[in-house]
């Protein structure tokens, strides 16, 4: 007889673009399985994206990967599947009608599954109000609960594995860098750069080339490389190194999700983007610059400012102002050079602040644990 604490979970993930949708779902699936011993099935419509962050995945309809049952979510969902105890719809992706009908059948016999919409991360204040709100499905009457990750006690928290901080603290950066073919330059700031295409990169490269402190920048192959190549009028590819003044820019491969954490831990400053790398940058407890996912009508700038309000609330005003100005310039594609030169003299304080920020976030229960607790306490 299985323990009543072991539930079956179906996570539905539709990849809109990039790697954040699958990045979040995969991390959640793994934590539920590894730490909470839950039986997890992940439905994803784009296996290529999972293969990029977790290369042992294959192009198969159904497979076991890292203790998770991974299924391709085809447009025609005709799978004759057992409905899970807990159904997670990631980012309002709309679960298949056939699946919903089966959930409704279970409701009629008093075995309603727990249905959760896992939403995008935002630091805006309305999130606290909407987190945990139920909504009745118009035709089936099934109750769906909105679960919002977030930075405060009245939200669903952030994904954070139980062993994450101890793994970070015992990490041997020098050893890992050598294995990755990276030879950090003595005296240089080691920077990782993960971002969307951005015209501001021209001024960033200029800031680094002209900087008193040498910069060794590691760029995992991706969108920002297109902007870099346009700026320097070259076609850099993986393993290429570009030298200009005090800048050494090295293109590295897009690494696995596990190695990406290590890259963040190894660097002095991290440029992160979207949602998942943004959160991992915070757990790395290193100074970071966030390129938020751009949205229409500048909605993302409101979100960016909301996060900055929290993030800079407890650092000195000069540092808070420089961080905000730099992040806004980076996100608005503006010249960032003078801001970079203002930030570097504040690096020691920024480091301490990053550590304090990370420590304060650790006081919250993590998202996976909150989901498990919620699903245990809630029947349908
Ligand atoms: O890729 P992102 O920009 O993802 C998104 C999507 O655009 C999504 O549609 C949007 O809704 C969301 O952002 C807010 O950035 P993100 O979220 O940081 O996801 C990147 C993932 O890729 C993350 O799990 C880390 C991983 N990664 C690697 O595994 N290896 C790498 O080398 C790098 C650079 C990242």
């Amino acid at each position: 007889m299985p323990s009543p604490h072991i539930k079956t979970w179906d996570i539905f993930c539709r990849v809109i673009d990039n790697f954040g949708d699958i990045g979040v779902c995969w991390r959640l699936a793994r934590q539920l399985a590894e730490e909470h011993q839950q039986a997890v099935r992940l439905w994803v419509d784009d296996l290529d994206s999972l293969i990029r962050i977790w290369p042992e995945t294959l192009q198969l309809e159904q497979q076991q990967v890292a203790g998770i049952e991974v299924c391709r979510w085809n447009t025609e969902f005709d799978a004759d599947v057992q409905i899970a105890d807990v159904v997670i719809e990631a980012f309002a992706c709309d679960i298949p009608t056939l699946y919903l009908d089966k959930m409704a059948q279970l409701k009629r016999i008093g075995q309603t599954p727990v249905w959760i919409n896992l939403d995008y991360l935002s630091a805006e204040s309305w999130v606290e109000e909407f987190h945990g709100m139920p909504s009745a499905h118009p035709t089936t009457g099934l109750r769906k609960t909105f679960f919002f990750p977030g930075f405060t006690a009245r939200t669903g928290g952030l994904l954070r594995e139980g062993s994450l901080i101890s793994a970070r603290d015992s990490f041997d950066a020098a050893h890992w860098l050598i294995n990755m073919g990276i030879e950090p330059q003595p005296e240089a700031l080691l920077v990782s750069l993960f971002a969307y295409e951005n015209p501001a990169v021209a001024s960033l490269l200029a800031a680094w080339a002209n900087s008193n402190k040498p910069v060794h920048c590691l760029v995992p192959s991706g969108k920002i490389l297109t902007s870099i190549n346009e700026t320097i009028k070259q076609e850099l590819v993986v393993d290429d190194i570009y030298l200009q003044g005090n800048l050494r820019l090295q293109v590295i491969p897009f690494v696995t999700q596990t190695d990406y954490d290590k890259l963040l831990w190894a660097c002095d400053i991290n440029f992160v983007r979207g949602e998942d790398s943004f959160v991992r940058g915070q757990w790395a407890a290193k100074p970071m610059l966030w390129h938020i996912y751009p949205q229409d009508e500048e909605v993302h700038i409101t979100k960016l400012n909301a996060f900055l309000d929290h993030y800079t609330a407890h650092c000195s005003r000069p540092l808070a102002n420089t961080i905000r100005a730099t992040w806004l310039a980076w996100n608005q594609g503006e010249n960032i050079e003078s801001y970079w030169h203002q930030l570097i003299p504040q690096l020691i304080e920024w480091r301490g602040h990053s550590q304090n920020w990370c420590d304060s976030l650790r006081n919250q229960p993590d998202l996976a644990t909150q989901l498990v607790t919620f699903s245990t306490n809630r029947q349908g």
Side-chain angles (χ1 to χ4, degrees), residues 92-301:
C93 66
D94 282 339
I95 55 175
T97 313
L98 186 87
Y99 195 95
L100 188 66
D101 291 345
K102 286 190 171 187
M103 281 166 66
Q105 283 166 23
L106 287 176
K107 179 174 184 278
R108 286 194 281 278
I109 56 168
Q111 294 173 13
T112 318
V114 177
W115 183 14
I116 296 167
N117 176 63
L118 177 62
D119 231 295
Y120 287 113
L121 173 64
S122 171
E124 291 163 293
S125 54
W126 59 262
V127 163
E128 292 189 339
E129 203 183 314
F130 283 86
H131 171 62
M133 287 274 267
S135 147
H137 184 261
T139 52
T140 63
L142 283 159
R143 179 174 47 186
K144 171 159 73 175
T145 301
F146 286 81
F147 224 84
F148 281 87
F151 302 91
T152 59
R154 288 170 55 205
T155 67
L158 301 169
L159 285 174
R160 171 174 42 85
E161 303 79 22
S163 58
L164 177 64
I165 303 298
S166 58
R168 181 199 69 190
D169 291 344
S170 58
F171 170 63
D172 182 347
H175 183 74
W176 183 81
L177 286 166
I178 289 170
N179 279 344
M180 294 297 290
I182 299 163
E183 216 181 301
Q185 302 303 290
E187 304 299 317
L189 276 179
L190 195 59
V191 177
S192 78
L193 178 53
F194 181 44
Y196 305 110
E197 291 91 346
N198 191 339
V201 85
S203 58
L204 185 64
L205 298 184
W208 289 341
N210 301 328
S211 152
N212 295 331
K213 179 115 183 121
V215 173
H216 184 171
C217 173
L218 305 173
V219 187
S221 172
K223 292 190 162 178
I224 192 67
L225 187 57
T226 312
S227 304
I228 292 171
N229 280 335
E230 277 169 17
T231 304
I232 63 172
K233 303 200 175 16
Q234 293 195 23
E235 285 305 320
L236 299 181
V237 293
V238 171
D239 291 339
D240 281 350
I241 293 181
Y242 168 78
L243 300 172
Q244 175 75 46
N246 250 346
L247 165 65
R248 178 186 183 89
L249 187 147
Q250 181 172 0
V251 184
I252 62 169
F254 192 91
V255 295
T256 65
Q257 208 180 38
T258 313
D259 273 327
Y260 182 64
D261 270 334
K262 296 179 179 170
L263 176 67
L264 296 172
W265 301 343
C267 286
D268 299 304
I269 300 180
N270 295 303
F271 284 71
V272 291
R273 76 179 200 196
E275 176 161 331
D276 191 53
S277 60
F278 167 55
V279 172
R280 304 312 276 189
Q282 293 168 71
W283 296 135
K286 295 289 180 71
M288 61 172 202
L289 286 97
W290 181 29
H291 199 182
I292 190 170
Y293 185 73
Q295 286 177 281
D296 292 339
E297 295 169 15
E298 303 281 288
V299 172
H300 59 293
I301 298 297

